[in-house]
């Protein structure tokens, strides 16, 4: 116990020491008076098509001191959890800007660049590097430079595209103000003051400068983020098309559900009538189909510990997803600040660990299990372990590339502390609550026989397991295909996703369609006298996760423009985690609905 306390104390000392020399965060919504100082915060530099590949702003040879003012740059700021998880590394800048004070032209600094610095800047411009700055919480973006008269065909063949490479050393800041608050912020690069750096062999002195323009805006401070929805750094989208796509999906889902309900009512009605009319002395000769396996249908599935942990973890993920969407809809979590949703999801998953522990342990006891502690342990590791493996790989790659996408030590300590001191105890608490208070009877309507019935081996192609798995994943995928494009563009691009009402509808549609399709396929499986439906229901429900991961390859190749080992490591690693989470979440939903369905049909007929 003492060793643990020593370890925690050491980690806390290192964490506090890491942030001791950092500047305080610049709060948003400050009330300014005329000529009050306005702080420009620089964040990162990176290629436009690779949002994850970000580097410190001052890893490039930019000005760190103002020639005419006492302003210092490259001083690190303290950060929130969401900012650190989003890969932000905010630092001060030397720009001397005062509230309401227009500046036509002001020299920031003059720097002499050697050939190595010029080559670094030239390579960055050729790879479409852009910078990110902030004033309060308002982001500003701009490109480092541009290439004129570039021969793209020659560049693809020889690697040298010719053309003239220009650096943009002059920035034009444009701020909107309303009632003493900053409500908008933009930065533009002045092409007329561009500097030719095509020849990197000759050292060059470059003058960096800036101008400032303040204008009155009617925009309220609470609506300040709306100006970014249609910015040039966000992919254009049509609100009407977005809603039409989700309405079209709703109509298709309603028609599909109506079709399934009508068919099932007719089939089950005929089944019930046939089974209830069978005479006792002819029952062995007449009965067939799903009633024939009534003594095996509630037999415990293989690997019950893993199965129960998967159902519990999936249920926990469903609750987490629902809470996060609800918080985003109600505005309690900012949807326009990168990292907010991710940080909210991490904290919510941690706090809902009691749900995972309770559900998995309860189901395990209903299967007459004894080693419930093992189920709790598997539940605590089933999802966090793959996340930890992917994180370790992606973070190592980012560190090797010198990217700020690698989480700092203090953030890693914070997340590990959440897992060790909150997630693990809450999962154990859920298991204990299930052991003490949960119902331990599955309430199966039939008795399970001692010897399992033999399963038919001759199965038509259209009703084998792999066909069912494909159908179970493909049909729900079609209901959210359009919405996936917007989600991916927001996650792996520069688009700000704000339509969480549409996303909530898509989430509900996905759960409904997945449940309906899973129940249908389970009925067909039972009808061919295959009683191994437990894992089938879970896998069929979660199959859309594989389709989402397959779609991620399509998006990466044809829609994203991303490239490079660092970006691919993050993209495919974390998309695998997201797809796995979807698999667990919808697999548990499919199993739950299938269990209710199986109980219902076997409770309606007389079984031995």
């Amino acid at each position: 116990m003492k060793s643990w306390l020593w370890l925690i104390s050491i980690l806390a000392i290192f964490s506090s020491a890491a942030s001791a020399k950092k500047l305080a965060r610049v709060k948003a919504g400050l009330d300014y008076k005329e000529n009050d100082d306005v702080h420009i915060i620089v964040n990162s530099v990176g290629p436009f098509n690779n949002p994850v590949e970000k580097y410190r702003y001052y890893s490039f040879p930019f000005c760190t001191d103002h020639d005419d003012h006492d302003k210092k740059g490259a001083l690190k700021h303290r950060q929130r959890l969401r900012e650190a998880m989003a890969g932000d590394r905010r630092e001060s800048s030397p720009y001397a800007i005062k509230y309401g004070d227009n500046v036509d032209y002001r020299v920031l600094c003059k720097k002499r660049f050697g050939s190595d610095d010029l080559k670094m800047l030239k390579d960055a411009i050729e790879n479409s590097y852009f910078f990110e700055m902030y004033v309060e919480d308002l982001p500003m973006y701009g490109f480092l430079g541009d290439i004129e008269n570039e021969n793209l065909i020659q560049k693809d063949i020889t690697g040298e595209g010719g053309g003239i490479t220009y650096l943009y050393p002059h920035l034009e800041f444009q701020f909107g103000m309303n009632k003493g608050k900053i409500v908008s912020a933009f930065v533009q690069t002045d092409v007329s003051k561009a500097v030719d750096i095509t020849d990197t062999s000759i050292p060059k002195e470059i003058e960096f400068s800036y101008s400032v323009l303040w204008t009155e805006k009617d925009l309220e401070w609470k609506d300040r983020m709306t100006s970014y929805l249609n910015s040039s750094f966000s992919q254009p989208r049509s609100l009407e098309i977005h809603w039409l796509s989700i309405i079209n999906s709703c109509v298709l889902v309603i028609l599909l559900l109506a079709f399934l309900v009508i068919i099932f009512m007719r089939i089950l009605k005929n089944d019930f009538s046939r089974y209830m009319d069978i005479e006792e002395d002819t029952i062995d000769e007449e009965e067939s189909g799903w009633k024939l396996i009534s003594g095996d249908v509630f037999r415990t599935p293989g690997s019950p510990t893993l199965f129960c942990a998967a159902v519990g973890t999936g249920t926990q993920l469903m609750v987490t997803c629902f809470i996060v969407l609800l918080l985003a809809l109600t505005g309690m979590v900012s949807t326009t600040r990168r990292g907010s949703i991710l940080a909210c999801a991490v904290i919510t998953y941690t706090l809902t660990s009691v749900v995972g522990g309770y559900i998995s342990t309860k189901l395990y006891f209903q299967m007459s299990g004894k080693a419930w502690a093992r189920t709790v342990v598997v539940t605590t590791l089933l999802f966090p372990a793959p996340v930890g493996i992917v994180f370790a790989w992606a973070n190592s790659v980012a560190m090797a590339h010198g990217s700020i996408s690698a989480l700092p030590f203090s953030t890693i300590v914070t997340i590990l502390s959440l897992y060790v001191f909150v997630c693990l105890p809450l999962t154990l608490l859920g298991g204990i609550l299930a052991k003490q208070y949960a119902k331990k009877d599955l309430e199966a309507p039939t008795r399970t026989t001692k010897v399992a019935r033999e399963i038919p081996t001759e199965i038509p192609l259209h009703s084998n397991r792999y066909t069912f798995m494909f159908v179970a994943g493909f049909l729900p995928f079609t209901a959210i295909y359009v919405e996936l494009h917007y989600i991916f563009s927001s996650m792996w691009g520069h688009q700000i996703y704000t339509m969480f009402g549409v996303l909530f509808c898509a989430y509900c549609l996905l759960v409904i369609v997945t449940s309906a399709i899973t129940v249908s396929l389970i009925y067909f499986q039972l009808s061919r006298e295959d009683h191994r439906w437990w894992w089938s229901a879970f896998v069929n429900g979660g199959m859309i996760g594989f389709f989402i991961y397959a779609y991620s390859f399509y998006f990466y190749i044809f829609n994203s423009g991303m490239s490079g080992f660092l970006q691919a490591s993050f993209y495919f690693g974390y998309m695998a985690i997201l797809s796995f989470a979807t698999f667990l979440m919808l697999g548990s939903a499919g199993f739950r609905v299938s269990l209710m369905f199986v109980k219902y049909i076997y409770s309606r007929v007389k079984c031995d």
Side-chain angles (χ1 to χ4, degrees), residues 51 235 237 335 338 484-498 500 555:
Q235 298 183 10
R237 56 176 166 181
T335 59
R338 288 195 178 276
L484 277 181
H485 175 78
Y486 294 100
I487 296 173
F488 277 42
S489 298
S490 176
M491 290 175 58
W492 303 105
H494 306 282
Q495 180 174 327
I496 299 176
Y497 191 93
T498 58
F500 282 86
F555 182 86

Side-chain angles (χ1 to χ4, degrees), residues 44-47 53 55-63 111-130 143-147 165-168 195 197-204 206 208 401-402:
S44 63
V45 176
E53 188 180 346
Y55 304 95
R56 280 187 61 239
Y57 182 85
Y58 287 111
S59 63
F60 283 76
F62 296 127
C63 299
K111 291 195 67 173
R112 185 169 183 81
F113 290 88
S115 58
D116 291 339
D117 290 339
L118 291 174
K119 188 176 185 306
M120 176 190 292
L121 291 171
K122 183 180 179 181
D123 290 343
I125 294 171
E126 289 177 349
N127 288 282
S128 301
Y129 272 52
F130 75 102
F143 285 98
L144 300 185
D146 198 7
I147 302 176
T165 303
Y166 287 103
L167 174 69
Y168 296 147
V195 176
I197 59 169
T198 306
D199 186 0
T200 60
S201 61
I202 303 175
K204 188 184 295 287
I206 300 176
F208 288 86
H401 283 75

Side-chain angles (χ1 to χ4, degrees), residues 90 404 450:
R90 303 187 184 190
I404 60 176
K450 293 182 179 180

Side-chain angles (χ1 to χ4, degrees), residues 59 97 100 109 121 144 164 205 234 236 280 293 350-351 423 516 603:
S59 63
I97 297 177
C109 76
L121 291 171
L144 300 185
I164 304 174
E205 185 176 75
S234 296
E280 290 293 332
I293 56 173
T350 302
L351 296 177
C423 185
S603 65

Side-chain angles (χ1 to χ4, degrees), residues 526-565:
L526 296 177
S527 296
R528 57 179 171 83
E529 301 175 11
D530 186 352
H531 56 78
R532 301 170 301 180
W533 66 274
W534 299 74
W535 275 109
S536 295
F538 189 91
V539 172
N540 288 345
M543 273 304 297
I544 187 176
F546 292 92
F547 278 82
I548 291 176
Y549 196 58
Y551 176 79
S552 69
F553 283 85
Y554 171 83
F555 182 86
Y556 182 88
I557 297 171
F558 298 105
N559 291 338
S560 68
M562 293 183 284
S563 61
F565 185 69

Side-chain angles (χ1 to χ4, degrees), residues 28-29 82-83 90 132-141 182-186 219-231 234 237 333-338 340 494-498:
R82 63 173 177 82
E83 294 167 351
R90 303 187 184 190
E132 183 180 38
M133 298 179 176
Y134 285 88
V135 56
E136 295 189 351
D137 61 346
L138 299 173
M140 299 179 290
Y141 309 97
I182 300 176
V183 295
S184 67
F186 297 96
L219 185 67
E220 294 292 330
W221 184 80
K222 63 183 177 62
D223 300 322
R224 65 196 182 283
M225 290 296 180
T226 57
S227 57
Y228 293 97
L229 299 181
N230 297 314
S231 69
S234 296
R237 56 176 166 181
V333 174
S334 175
T335 59
T336 54
R337 297 176 180 173
R338 288 195 178 276
S340 295
H494 306 282
Q495 180 174 327
I496 299 176
Y497 191 93
T498 58

Side-chain angles (χ1 to χ4, degrees), residues 244-264:
L244 283 174
S245 67
I246 202 68
I247 291 173
N248 180 55
S249 298
C250 288
V251 172
L252 290 176
V253 168
I254 292 172
L255 291 176
L256 174 64
L257 290 177
F259 173 76
L260 290 175
V261 168
I262 293 172
I263 296 298
F264 261 87

